């Protein structure tokens, strides 16, 4: 049975929640916290670190740690890193954010004990079309990579809703 | 068969309703089954989480005792407090970690500073500012550490914005290609 989750993809932190008996419940991540830092790091050994772990090693790996990527959502010229590359690759804001979504998806799946194929992702009300589209692409990328393929059925179907609260940095 | 004309749409409508309701029922039942399983699992976890939360809130007390032991003359009273605190926490399964020289692992260490030390090939903790704590296997709090090791892996110069390309002779080892 496919479940839908709600994801607040934030600039600094992200949250995933699910409806349980009509009540929204925040899902704690694998580390036991209710919020996951929106930080992605590319470790030297090729490993991709997401969340708290990525944040903890940030000072040792400044050039390969991406944070506050949401600010560049929909900016087609932006790449991480800004100059140079990471092991021959330069990432879009969507690709970086997709790593965060994937972690939230994995944590939600281990909590729910079932697959998550649909997500509602929030965007600030002031996001324009390009930024909304980019957020939607992030959802699709996260679904594809988590499924290890690109079958249409596996793609996380992201709905975009306005996030009416003012952005808290 | 004049009566079947108006009856058929009604039948179809009823069939559709039954199918819809059955699907609803199956969905709610599956959801409820999973919910029940989760509640049973969580009931066991809640006890551990409650203990962990209380202990986490008390960690600043341990820090204060550690600081007092390190910087103030060790009076018998202070020693008694420190010893019994350690003993009681140990019996609950709390262990501390974080030693100078430990290999840096972001899973349990929070790096607050990074020093480069030429000649080293991996990141190690060069100072422990605050020990970390575990409750059984679970991390209560990561250790705050200063880290020393090779210079952070520089990005290969691309477009020349930064200009300086790290020399391969003395620089970091080549990196494997990241999985995309």
């Amino acid at each position: 049975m496919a479940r839908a989750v709600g994801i607040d993809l934030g600039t600094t932190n992200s949250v995933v929640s699910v409806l349980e008996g009509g009540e929204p419940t925040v899902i704690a991540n694998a580390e036991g916290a209710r919020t996951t830092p929106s930080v992605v790091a590319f470790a030297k050994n090729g490993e991709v670190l997401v969340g708290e772990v990525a944040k903890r090693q940030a000072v040792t790996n400044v050039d390969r740690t991406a944070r506050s990527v949401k600010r560049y959502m929909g900016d087609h010229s932006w790449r991480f890193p800004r100059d140079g590359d990471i092991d021959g690759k330069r990432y879009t804001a969507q690709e970086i954010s997709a790593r965060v979504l994937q972690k939230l998806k994995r944590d939600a799946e281990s909590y729910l004990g079932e697959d998550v194929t649909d997500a509602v992702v929030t965007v600030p009300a002031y996001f324009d079309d390009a930024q909304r589209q980019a957020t939607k692409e992030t959802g699709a990328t996260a679904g594809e990579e988590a499924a290890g393929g690109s079958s249409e059925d596996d793609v996380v179907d992201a709905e975009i809703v306005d996030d009416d609260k003012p952005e808290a940095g | 068969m004049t009566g079947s004309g108006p009856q058929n749409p009604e039948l179809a409508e009823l069939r559709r309703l039954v199918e819809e309701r059955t699907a609803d029922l199956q969905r709610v039942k599956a959801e409820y089954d999973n919910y029940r399983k989760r509640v049973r699992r969580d009931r066991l976890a809640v006890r551990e989480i409650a203990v962990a939360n209380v202990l986490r809130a008390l960690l600043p007390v341990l820090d204060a005792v550690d600081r007092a032991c390190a910087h103030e003359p060790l009076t018998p009273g202070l020693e008694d407090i420190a010893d019994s605190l350690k003993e009681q926490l140990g019996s609950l399964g709390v262990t501390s970690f974080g030693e100078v020289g430990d290999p840096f692992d972001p899973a349990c260490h929070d790096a607050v500073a990074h020093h480069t030390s030429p000649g080293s090939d991996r990141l190690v903790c060069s100072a422990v500012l605050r020990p970390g704590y575990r409750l059984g296997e679970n991390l209560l709090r990561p250790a705050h550490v200063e880290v020393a090791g090779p210079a952070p892996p520089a990005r290969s110069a691309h477009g020349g914005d930064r200009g300086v390309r790290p020399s391969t002779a003395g620089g970091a080892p080549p990196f494997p290609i990241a999985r995309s």
Side-chain angles (χ1 to χ4, degrees):
Chain A
M1 189 105 226
R3 283 293 284 270
V5 294
I7 291 177
D8 181 0
L9 185 60
T11 308
T12 318
N13 291 298
S14 296
V15 183
V16 59
S17 63
V18 70
L19 278 180
E20 275 180 346
E23 293 279 310
T25 311
V26 171
I27 297 177
N29 62 19
E31 292 81 41
R34 285 156 61 85
T35 60
T36 300
S38 308
V39 182
V40 176
F42 299 90
K44 269 187 282 185
N45 57 13
E47 210 182 332
V48 182
L49 306 171
V50 183
E52 199 57 56
V53 177
K55 200 174 161 184
R56 282 185 206 141
Q57 58 83 64
V59 297
T60 70
N61 197 16
V62 182
D63 285 347
R64 294 159 68 99
T65 303
R67 57 208 316 173
S68 304
V69 165
K70 187 180 171 183
R71 289 186 194 149
Y72 308 103
M73 203 56 102
D75 179 350
H76 294 298
S77 59
W78 188 86
R79 289 288 184 280
F80 180 82
R82 230 111 20 129
D83 43 73
D85 58 64
I86 287 172
D87 307 329
K89 208 171 171 342
R90 306 186 74 216
Y91 296 87
T92 60
Q94 292 94 305
E95 285 170 316
I96 299 281
S97 293
R99 303 288 185 167
V100 178
L101 285 193
Q102 272 172 40
K103 174 171 167 53
L104 297 174
K105 178 178 187 282
R106 271 199 310 274
D107 288 345
E109 282 173 347
S110 74
Y111 171 81
L112 292 167
E114 54 190 307
D115 285 351
V116 170
T117 52
D118 296 86
V120 179
V121 182
T122 60
V123 293
Y126 61 78
F127 258 30
D128 62 22
D129 274 351
Q131 291 169 312
R132 280 161 203 264
Q133 190 52 41
T135 307
K136 207 158 180 170
E137 281 168 23
T138 300
T141 310
E144 270 174 35
E145 291 188 5
S150 56
S151 150
E152 280 285 286
D153 299 337
D154 296 330
V155 173
V156 167
D157 190 15
E159 288 287 324
I160 307 296
V161 297
D162 274 343
D163 162 13
D164 272 331
K165 71 175 167 36
E167 272 293 281
Chain B
M1 289 293 170
T2 43
S4 67
Q7 216 174 13
N8 262 347
E10 206 174 307
L11 193 66
E13 172 67 12
L14 284 174
R15 186 163 290 152
R16 195 189 59 77
L17 267 179
V18 168
E19 274 165 12
E20 196 184 294
R21 298 280 193 274
T22 312
D24 272 358
L25 190 65
Q26 279 168 344
R27 190 170 48 76
V28 170
K29 189 183 175 308
E31 201 174 302
Y32 178 65
D33 281 349
N34 279 322
Y35 179 73
R36 214 173 38 190
K37 260 184 256 164
R38 205 156 54 237
V39 166
R40 197 180 310 146
R41 181 192 69 191
D42 288 353
R43 205 166 38 208
L44 302 175
V46 157
R47 208 191 82 90
E48 286 171 33
I49 292 169
V51 172
N53 283 344
V54 171
L55 289 173
R56 194 175 293 121
L58 290 178
L59 292 182
V61 180
L62 266 138
D63 290 338
V65 170
D66 278 348
R67 276 196 303 272
C69 288
H71 299 294
E72 286 169 23
L74 202 59
T75 60
L78 181 58
E79 201 175 358
D80 190 21
I81 292 172
D83 284 351
S84 54
L85 199 55
K86 288 224 166 69
E87 195 181 313
Q88 292 303 317
L89 288 173
S91 69
L92 285 170
V94 177
T95 49
S96 71
F97 64 90
E99 299 287 336
V100 171
D102 283 353
F104 172 67
D105 176 8
C108 60
H109 296 134
D110 194 346
V112 294
H114 180 225
H115 309 286
T116 52
S117 60
S120 62
D121 60 341
R122 57 180 192 151
L123 295 167
V124 293
C125 303
S126 57
V128 178
L129 308 178
R130 205 180 69 172
Y133 287 95
R134 277 197 189 87
L135 176 59
E137 291 292 295
N138 299 327
L139 186 72
L140 273 183
R141 184 181 81 179
H144 275 185
V145 295
E146 284 182 18
V147 176
R155 296 169 289 200
S156 36
H158 185 277
D161 289 358
R162 286 252 167 147
V164 190
R165 191 182 189 91
S167 79
T168 42
F175 313 116
I177 302 301
R179 296 169 285 119
S180 60

